[in-house]
Amino acid sequence: MNFVTVLRCVSCKKEFDPRNIVYSCDRCGERLDVIYDYEAMKRKINKSEFGHRHSCSTLRYSEFLPIFDYGKLVSLGEGGTPLIKCERLGGELGLDNLYAKDETRNPTGVFKDRATVLAITKAQEFGRKIVAIASTGNAAASLSAYAAKAALHCNVFVPESTPLAKVSQSIAYGAKIIQVKGNYDQTYDLAVEACKEFDWYNCNPAANPFRTEGKKTIAYEMCEQSGWKSPDWVIVPVGNGCNLAGIWKGFKEFYDLGFVSEKPRIVGIQPTGSSPIVTAFNQKKDRFEPVSPNTLAGALAIGKPRNFVKAIRSLNESNGLAQSVTDDEILKAQSLLARTEGIFGEPGAAAAVAGMIKVVRQGLISAHDRISCVITGSGLKDPEAPLKLARKPTLIEPSIESMRKLALNDR
Ligand code: F0G
């Protein structure tokens, strides 16, 4: 069952047929929203039905997604990730109700899989054989995996500085890797141009209007996992702003459909060295100032956010907050999360925890509020990062004497 009606420009509201390939508004150049017939949805779907659904992944929320032909669905079992109560981390910070939505458990280790399932399924529906994306690494690895499953040819564009672990993941899945001598912003522009010139299906975040829809399932799951309640606060690390916008849309839909009786406030977090959305939001500007990214959280090193309008709109609608965090705060938060909860997030993911700590200390969030941090991607994707703060492991001879000496020193 499908309730999509049109694609609508976020700015001038021009409408487009969702059965055609459209990446942006031909009148004003802005991004497109996927619009549904919510009245028809209300008549057909009741939240009590979810108790009988066995699928934990995309199919669980099929009516809320823009999939027209389920015969073309390409899924690796994304989603269904746990919402973990952070007793120890919460205890250290004096918070009663702290949760982590552990997106590192997705098939390729990152929340991007929720978007990729739509990008590749749409490529299949449109009969496209070659897909492409620009990426700071995660979206590339994710697209490569799903393209492999669908037997599509996959071209991924990544900046030169992309961590080897992310590049090697794409290589393993058989994608063609194009490493670009430049940053993500330049890489993105090149990928879009190449898609046009070579007629590849454009799976770039924000350009492909369907990807963001997959992120809504993070919000749906959080509501269900909390007994049909939304958190008070959801903390999201931000690059292009697609994830934040998708999560907010998910909460709004479940609220508008009457499935939950409240909506959360969204907190967007960016690294200080790459925070155009945070700056624009806090200065109440409706345009961003492009920056030259400088952060060790490579996943978020985006100086020209491609989903700016949707991200700012989501922060405004949710009465949200935006906060920047230093690289040092990110590394400390990464270590704290791993040591207290056993969750190893990459720096771009740990930024959510760093930001949450900061807004709590500023007194903007109360100790009793229900707070959910979205831990977007696995620390294994950038394994060098924790070594920047940690002591090097001690190398010893394979003898019990060496071990005794070490134990004595450790006392
Ligand atoms: N967290 C991680 C781990 C990411 O990889 C990204 C984005 C984000 C958060 C931010 O999400 O861009 O929707 O605001 N990674 C993209 C990529 C840019 O290419 O993998 P966003």
Side-chain angles (χ1 to χ4, degrees):
M1 211 182 307
N2 184 276
F3 294 96
V4 178
T5 54
V6 290
L7 303 177
R8 185 181 293 150
C9 172
V10 295
S11 178
C12 77
K13 310 295 175 203
K14 183 170 175 186
E15 295 186 349
F16 300 86
D17 185 344
R19 288 175 195 276
N20 296 334
I21 296 182
V22 199
Y23 300 118
S24 59
C25 177
D26 60 3
R27 190 155 66 191
C28 72
E30 259 305 342
R31 301 302 179 204
L32 305 173
D33 272 322
V34 181
I35 308 295
Y36 301 80
D37 181 349
Y38 291 111
E39 288 310 312
M41 246 188 215
K42 261 186 207 163
R43 288 193 296 274
K44 283 266 189 280
I45 311 162
N46 189 307
K47 80 176 179 195
S48 60
E49 280 172 32
F50 289 96
H52 308 293
R53 295 189 180 183
H54 298 298
S55 168
C56 295
S57 66
T58 307
L59 280 172
R60 183 171 189 84
Y61 305 109
S62 56
E63 298 95 335
F64 305 90
L65 298 173
I67 298 175
F68 297 154
D69 178 357
Y70 273 86
K72 300 279 166 51
L73 176 72
V74 182
S75 170
L76 292 173
E78 57 293 322
T81 61
L83 181 66
I84 295 165
K85 176 127 203 224
C86 298
E87 303 275 6
R88 285 198 66 210
L89 179 58
E92 287 214 10
L93 301 171
L95 302 171
D96 301 340
N97 277 307
L98 179 63
Y99 293 83
K101 181 68 172 157
D102 187 3
E103 290 294 294
T104 71
R105 317 274 189 109
N106 277 297
T108 76
V110 72
F111 74 102
K112 295 277 172 188
D113 295 338
R114 297 182 188 259
T116 309
V117 63
L118 284 232
I120 291 291
T121 299
K122 291 320 268 188
Q124 296 281 73
E125 284 184 1
F126 289 127
R128 308 311 300 271
K129 297 287 172 236
I130 306 178
V131 294
I133 194 166
S135 173
T136 52
N138 283 327
S142 179
L143 192 74
S144 308
Y146 283 71
K149 176 89 174 160
L152 300 181
H153 186 87
C154 180
N155 295 317
V156 304
F157 293 75
V158 292
E160 208 175 2
S161 59
T162 308
L164 188 62
K166 294 181 184 176
V167 175
S168 93
Q169 220 185 338
S170 279
I171 292 174
Y173 296 130
K176 177 165 182 191
I177 321 289
I178 301 134
Q179 261 187 316
V180 180
K181 287 187 185 169
N183 62 23
Y184 173 78
D185 303 304
Q186 295 162 308
T187 305
Y188 188 102
D189 289 338
L190 174 62
V192 170
E193 219 179 317
C195 284
K196 262 192 218 145
E197 183 152 335
F198 303 111
D199 197 25
W200 298 334
Y201 186 59
N202 183 345
C203 296
N204 277 299
N208 191 303
F210 301 110
R211 292 180 58 96
T212 304
E213 300 304 294
K215 317 270 180 61
K216 299 188 301 186
T217 58
I218 296 181
Y220 302 156
E221 286 176 16
M222 279 195 210
C223 293
E224 259 203 278
Q225 287 166 327
S226 313
W228 296 103
K229 275 203 175 94
S230 90
D232 297 311
W233 298 93
V234 179
I235 325 285
V236 188
V238 176
N240 280 311
C242 307
N243 194 28
L244 184 151
I247 291 175
W248 170 242
K249 189 172 180 184
F251 280 116
K252 215 169 51 157
E253 286 179 341
F254 268 21
Y255 175 83
D256 289 344
L257 290 166
F259 291 2
V260 288
S261 55
E262 65 285 285
K263 287 176 278 188
R265 294 176 71 183
I266 309 285
V267 187
I269 311 294
Q270 291 193 299
T272 312
S274 185
S275 54
I277 292 182
V278 170
T279 306
F281 179 76
N282 288 333
Q283 294 178 353
K284 301 195 181 346
K285 298 238 168 86
D286 55 9
R287 272 166 207 276
F288 66 86
E289 233 9 271
V291 299
S292 226
N294 179 15
T295 172
L296 63 71
L300 309 181
I302 296 174
K304 286 197 224 164
R306 307 294 167 149
N307 233 342
F308 178 76
V309 175
K310 285 191 195 176
I312 290 286
R313 186 182 65 189
S314 306
L315 285 170
N316 280 322
E317 284 178 359
S318 81
N319 190 21
L321 301 171
Q323 177 66 58
S324 63
V325 286
T326 65
D327 283 358
D328 192 51
E329 288 168 332
I330 290 174
L331 285 179
K332 285 185 178 140
Q334 180 186 43
S335 158
L336 185 63
L337 176 69
R339 284 187 292 108
T340 54
E341 297 297 334
I343 302 173
F344 182 24
E346 70 165 272
V353 176
M356 177 270 297
I357 293 173
K358 226 164 164 174
V359 283
V360 165
R361 291 200 176 134
Q362 289 164 352
L364 298 170
I365 292 185
S366 121
H368 309 300
D369 286 350
R370 278 169 298 146
I371 308 166
S372 290
C373 293
V374 185
I375 310 302
T376 45
S378 165
L380 293 174
K381 286 165 156 284
D382 190 359
E384 304 275 305
L387 303 174
K388 296 197 166 77
L389 279 189
R391 272 188 302 168
K392 277 208 176 131
T394 319
L395 185 65
I396 63 167
E397 295 299 326
S399 71
I400 194 66
E401 288 77 27
S402 310
M403 184 57 228
R404 278 189 200 120
K405 249 191 238 162
L406 182 67
L408 276 175
N409 286 344
D410 277 354
R411 265 184 208 157

